Amino acid sequence: MAPRRLSKPERRRQLLDTALRIIREEGADRLTLGHLATRAGISKPVAYDHFGTRSGLLIELYRWIDAQWMNAFQDALATSLRSLENTAEILAAAYIHCAADMNGDFHAVGAALAGSEEKAAVFQELLDNCVRLFVSVLEPHSSRSPAELEQCCVGLVGAGEALSAAVVRGRCREPEAIKAFTLLIQGGMRTSPP
């Protein structure tokens, strides 16, 4: 009996899984559509049909990794949050853990896209999504105006990016990054007395 043919979404997932394995095992420089097709056991035209170009593949992989990260992040935040301290600790731990748990995949794909205008647009889209998530989680703990809260969250997401990159590069340990990020979140939500 012949194996069942994969649907287009199933094939796309298989190709993204294979692309991620290539990056982990061989490095991002080895990820080409031709090599992906060989490793996935398909013809080159199938790979080109799904992604068009190597940049198209990298951008889809970037989005796919981010979607997995955001799902894990939202799962961690699904518990009922009470105090600012508790919220900040859960938010910081979820952000740093999810980013560090990806073994640097997101950073590796981002580096492979360095200098690409497409990458800059996609990266900004992903950062904007994360800022919106931070705003929604922190809004109950903030007395700031919506615009101030959003700008504060932009800064917090930037700090989270820097701290998670430091963990991935071995410049600090995950618990240290979580503690620092928790303090930054708490500080960002407190307003000075008038």
Side-chain angles (χ1 to χ4, degrees):
M1 184 165 147
R4 181 179 70 85
R5 184 181 165 117
L6 297 179
S7 68
K8 191 162 184 155
E10 290 170 328
R11 176 67 69 197
R12 188 175 202 80
R13 177 165 174 97
Q14 178 220 10
L15 291 173
L16 290 169
D17 280 334
T18 302
L20 197 52
R21 269 197 314 282
I22 291 169
I23 287 174
R24 288 178 179 163
E25 295 168 6
E26 304 174 46
D29 290 343
R30 288 281 295 144
L31 182 60
T32 64
L33 289 172
H35 187 54
L36 174 63
T38 301
R39 287 279 307 261
I42 60 166
S43 66
K44 284 183 187 180
V46 172
Y48 279 92
D49 181 49
H50 278 275
F51 305 108
T53 64
R54 180 176 188 266
S55 287
L57 167 61
L58 288 167
I59 284 169
E60 285 305 308
L61 189 56
Y62 207 51
R63 281 189 170 123
W64 186 63
I65 292 168
D66 185 71
Q68 289 180 321
W69 179 82
M70 287 296 277
N71 289 339
F73 192 45
Q74 288 173 326
D75 288 347
L77 294 169
T79 61
S80 65
L81 305 175
R82 295 181 193 96
S83 67
L84 171 60
E85 290 73 20
N86 185 311
T87 301
E89 189 175 324
I90 292 170
L91 187 60
Y95 192 98
I96 299 296
H97 181 70
C98 287
D101 194 39
M102 285 193 261
N103 302 314
D105 298 333
F106 191 74
H107 296 287
V109 173
L113 282 165
S116 159
E117 286 183 34
E118 295 167 293
K119 184 246 181 181
V122 170
F123 187 67
Q124 189 60 54
E125 168 193 324
L126 301 180
L127 283 177
D128 291 345
N129 292 341
C130 196
V131 167
R132 280 191 290 277
L133 180 63
F134 267 61
V135 167
S136 69
V137 169
L138 293 172
E139 189 173 34
H141 304 285
S142 175
S143 60
R144 298 180 185 281
S145 72
E148 287 175 335
L149 177 59
E150 183 176 346
Q151 289 182 352
C152 183
C153 288
V154 167
L156 290 172
V157 168
E161 282 295 304
L163 286 165
S164 65
V167 171
V168 168
R169 292 185 183 110
R171 302 194 78 149
C172 75
R173 293 182 12 250
E174 191 173 317
E176 295 164 340
I178 290 169
K179 183 178 180 181
F181 198 25
T182 299
L183 293 172
L184 286 169
I185 294 168
Q186 289 173 354
M189 290 303 99
R190 293 197 172 97
T191 53
S192 302

